Amino acid sequence: MAAAVASKLDILKANEGLLDAEEHLFSGWPEPGKDDDNKRRLLSQLRQLDSSYAGGLLKYISNAKKLLKDSKEGSNPFEGCVPSVPEGKKLDFGSDAFIELENAGIAAAADTAFVLVAGGLGERLGYSGIKLALPALNGNRRQLPLAIMTSDDTHARTEALLRSHAFFGADPAQVTLVKQEKVACLADNDARLALTPGDAWAVQTKPHGHGDVHMLLHSSGLAARWRDAGLRWAVFFQDTNALVFRAIPAALGVSAARAFDFNSLAVPRRAKEAIGAITKLAYPDGTSRTLNVEYNQLDPLLRAAYDPEGDTNDDTGFSPFPGNINQLIVSLDSYCEELQKKGGVIGEFVNPKYADAGRTSFKSSTRLECMMQDFPKDLPSTARVGYTSINQVWAAYSPVKNSPADAAAKAAGGNPSHSATTGELDYYKANCKMLEHVGACIAGPSSASFNGLEDLEFWPRVVWPPAWAIGFDQLKARLPKPSAISLGQDTVLIVSEPNASLESLTLERGAVEVAGQGPIVAGTVSNDGWTWEPLDEDKGAPEEEVIRGFHVVRHAIETLK
Ligand code: UTP
């Protein structure tokens, strides 16, 4: 039996097409009885690759052949399309319109499921842990479902993180982990599967991208269960951007007000900035769709049919096409209907790095990928697809993506560093701006430098749990006399009691923790507080500190109850 399983004949019976297509995998096999364990290992991997891809491995290979051919020929997916600015809402953080939509969104959140895509390893960040483990001082106590998409790279550590933190206050029944599988790497334009360097008995595999989330929400039955339970919306978010929940409520409000089937959270985008643009496309067949267009495809598309100057700023100083930050809101009704049609399989792409001008060989193996924002490509032309753009980028988008060295290089080039340092500092800024907006007196930022990033705005370090205040009006209700709250420069305010009412506090210097429900009437507080000390490189600091470039020295904190 063992020898038979390992024989070429057996594979041929099981999958004739695969043997034809991938003859090179088996051509060097020794006779039965030799290397049988290795043969079994390869076969079981092929079976696993076959069962985890919708349509099987042969379908993957045929999709790959077509996409590789298109790529070799340089065919333009937007040939003949006429772009225009899509329907959407641009909002100033904290404006009356923002607060009105935020309140509508907080009401709609009661009918919302949340989906975190967290299968990516975050190689650019240079952090060995999973990104989900980065400190953000958040924890949602509401009974809403949360699905987390993991991968083999992140699954066990995500599960362990949730358990070791008692699910951050959530009921474990609220949280479902769905794991995405990797896909086979391709060695050439004929889509021959690539073997792992150094192991002739294993196909090389790589991540398929966050677009797998739709297929998994379908195959797990989760999306349909949410809809059947009466939920109306699903919010997709990423593991890198702690600020997303400052903007999602208003975007949910926009989805509800405009009955959007698909709504992308966006920020203003400078012309040619390396960020996808939400664009409405009129196709030659008379249909139209609103899609994310990658920045390198946008300029030629605009030159051909919108503006001979291509991707340029308008008189606002920004491109009229909003920048996609890939936090998405779908209406569960139409989402589930669409999942039913195609099983949640969305369009893939391939991005080989060619070794020659004729595009006949690759520098290294490639694979098919898919992105969750491409879901609207298959929606009917009648679907309502739009965007919600938050004009203040720092309030909505400060992703933790780049290693200190890459972040410093980006900043030196005049670009946002998207570093762990700015991810944290922008979080404080957004919270301070919210406090200021509701009437508190907040000292302006000091200037800081960490990890070679200069002149950073360093606002008072203010954090509170989501249950204390999600939006502006909730924050107002927690501070009955906002003008009686004042924070000095470089102070620290931590609200740890989710029901605290803070009536008055003058924090001249130092740190305060609000740990009681109050109403808290504090006089003037001054202590040595906490200091953010730039890292001394030689000290072997933990990675979480190294990527941020500082460590926090806790000298003193006054607890208010
Ligand atoms: P990124 O584009 O930041 O990719 O992912 P990444 O793989 O995490 O990071 P780099 O490129 O290696 O530095 C955006 C979001 O999509 C998730 C990530 O976890 C992140 O939330 N993702 C990415 C997946 O869930 N699966 C994938 O295959 C890729």
Side-chain angles (χ1 to χ4, degrees):
M1 176 64 192
V5 168
S7 79
K8 278 196 219 171
L9 191 65
D10 202 49
I11 310 160
L12 183 63
K13 277 186 206 145
N15 209 335
E16 207 164 332
L18 182 64
L19 190 64
D20 282 348
E22 301 296 335
E23 205 266 335
H24 68 289
L25 292 181
F26 316 106
S27 57
W29 275 25
E31 69 275 12
K34 222 171 162 201
D35 270 333
D36 281 358
D37 284 347
N38 277 328
K39 290 172 187 166
R40 269 189 222 104
R41 184 156 65 87
L42 178 61
L43 283 179
S44 98
Q45 188 200 16
L46 288 170
R47 271 191 212 107
Q48 186 270 325
L49 288 169
D50 190 49
S51 61
S52 62
Y53 186 81
L57 196 48
L58 284 175
K59 175 82 176 146
Y60 178 76
I61 292 165
S62 82
N63 287 348
K65 280 187 180 161
K66 179 172 180 321
L67 288 166
L68 286 164
K69 181 168 177 286
D70 289 349
S71 168
K72 182 168 190 260
E73 291 167 359
S75 58
N76 174 6
F78 301 122
E79 189 70 53
C81 288
V82 177
S84 60
V85 180
E87 184 195 345
K89 186 84 186 159
K90 292 184 177 164
L91 289 168
D92 281 321
F93 187 60
S95 64
D96 290 350
F98 182 98
I99 294 174
E100 194 181 311
L101 287 161
E102 184 177 72
N103 289 334
I106 290 169
D111 300 326
T112 301
F114 291 82
V115 183
L116 168 62
V117 290
L121 200 47
E123 275 165 343
R124 282 173 289 171
L125 182 59
Y127 173 62
S128 70
I130 53 172
K131 285 177 282 183
L132 207 55
L134 295 173
L137 292 168
N138 269 333
N140 196 328
R141 283 162 189 261
R142 303 186 64 175
Q143 288 284 325
L144 298 172
L146 168 68
I148 304 179
M149 182 174 77
T150 58
S151 66
D152 278 328
D153 291 329
T154 62
H155 188 83
R157 284 179 289 171
T158 303
E159 217 168 27
L161 179 79
L162 289 168
R163 291 199 188 289
S164 66
H165 289 80
F167 286 73
F168 296 91
D171 180 339
Q174 282 174 265
V175 184
T176 311
L177 266 52
V178 288
K179 184 162 77 75
Q180 65 174 147
E181 298 296 338
K182 292 186 180 173
V183 288
C185 290
L186 306 159
D188 56 29
N189 281 330
D190 293 327
R192 280 154 34 108
L193 302 187
L195 290 168
T196 304
D199 184 354
W201 303 100
V203 173
Q204 190 182 15
T205 60
K206 283 190 182 163
H208 192 215
H210 44 53
D212 278 343
V213 71
H214 304 302
M215 188 266 288
L216 289 170
L217 289 182
H218 176 68
S219 61
S220 63
L222 271 177
R225 279 210 293 285
W226 293 337
R227 179 206 49 198
D228 295 346
L231 297 182
R232 290 194 56 206
W233 309 102
V235 169
F236 294 79
F237 64 106
Q238 307 194 358
D239 57 17
T240 49
N241 183 28
L243 281 172
V244 65
F245 288 102
R246 294 280 170 261
I248 279 293
L252 255 175
V254 171
S255 276
R258 301 204 175 198
F260 275 154
D261 294 303
F262 193 98
N263 181 8
S264 301
L265 199 57
V267 292
R269 171 183 180 281
R270 300 236 185 244
K272 306 201 171 57
E273 195 179 327
I275 169 172
I278 311 290
T279 312
K280 183 171 180 179
L281 295 170
Y283 286 81
D285 68 1
T287 61
S288 64
R289 269 179 193 81
T290 295
L291 303 174
N292 173 72
V293 174
E294 289 303 321
Y295 71 98
N296 53 339
Q297 296 174 316
L298 184 71
D299 188 68
L301 179 67
L302 297 180
R303 273 176 206 283
Y306 182 79
D307 179 346
E309 302 276 303
D311 185 11
T312 48
N313 293 325
D314 62 17
D315 47 20
T316 64
F318 291 96
S319 156
F321 295 89
N324 176 31
I325 59 170
N326 238 2
Q327 324 282 343
L328 313 168
I329 301 175
V330 300
S331 138
L332 272 173
D333 267 347
S334 57
Y335 181 68
C336 288
E337 212 174 289
E338 194 56 34
L339 290 185
Q340 204 59 43
K341 285 188 210 153
K342 292 207 179 111
V345 175
I346 61 164
E348 296 163 303
F349 64 95
V350 69
N351 189 16
K353 305 280 175 284
Y354 294 105
D356 59 326
R359 301 187 166 203
T360 59
S361 59
F362 308 157
K363 284 186 184 155
S364 59
S365 66
T366 188
R367 86 290 199 178
L368 301 192
E369 293 175 77
C370 58
M371 303 190 294
M372 64 175 175
Q373 66 268 35
D374 282 342
F375 189 80
K377 280 190 177 159
D378 289 324
L379 282 176
S381 188
T382 49
R384 294 186 53 74
V385 181
Y387 71 86
T388 304
S389 183
I390 309 299
N391 293 333
Q392 291 68 30
V393 179
W394 49 260
Y397 186 55
S398 187
V400 176
K401 272 194 192 292
N402 296 316
S403 69
D406 291 349
K410 282 191 193 294
N415 297 306
S417 67
H418 291 169
S419 59
T421 317
T422 47
E424 178 158 339
L425 268 53
D426 283 340
Y427 196 77
Y428 299 140
K429 174 173 178 170
N431 287 350
C432 284
K433 289 283 190 179
M434 285 182 78
L435 283 175
E436 208 169 55
H437 193 276
V438 300
C441 176
I442 310 294
S446 57
S447 168
S449 303
F450 298 115
N451 274 352
L453 303 172
E454 307 286 339
D455 299 325
L456 300 168
E457 274 186 31
F458 206 8
W459 289 78
R461 282 55 112 183
V462 178
V463 291
W464 64 75
W468 192 63
I470 293 181
F472 283 89
D473 279 352
Q474 289 177 326
L475 183 60
K476 236 184 254 170
R478 299 293 188 193
L479 309 172
K481 296 179 197 148
S483 61
I485 309 291
S486 133
L487 302 183
Q489 212 175 41
D490 291 318
T491 51
V492 174
L493 172 66
I494 299 169
V495 178
S496 54
E497 165 53 54
N499 294 311
S501 172
L502 184 57
E503 279 204 5
S504 65
L505 166 68
T506 301
L507 181 57
E508 282 184 337
R509 54 181 276 279
V512 152
E513 178 183 357
V514 177
Q517 298 198 359
I520 287 169
V521 182
T524 300
V525 176
S526 182
N527 58 44
D528 286 343
W530 293 6
T531 49
W532 268 244
E533 309 275 346
L535 277 189
D536 177 345
E537 272 176 33
D538 298 328
K539 284 211 174 128
E543 264 186 284
E544 288 80 0
E545 292 185 352
V546 171
I547 58 174
R548 289 184 285 177
F550 52 73
H551 76 128
V552 180
V553 182
R554 301 173 184 206
H555 306 281
I557 187 162
E558 181 160 337
T559 305
L560 304 176
K561 287 202 171 165

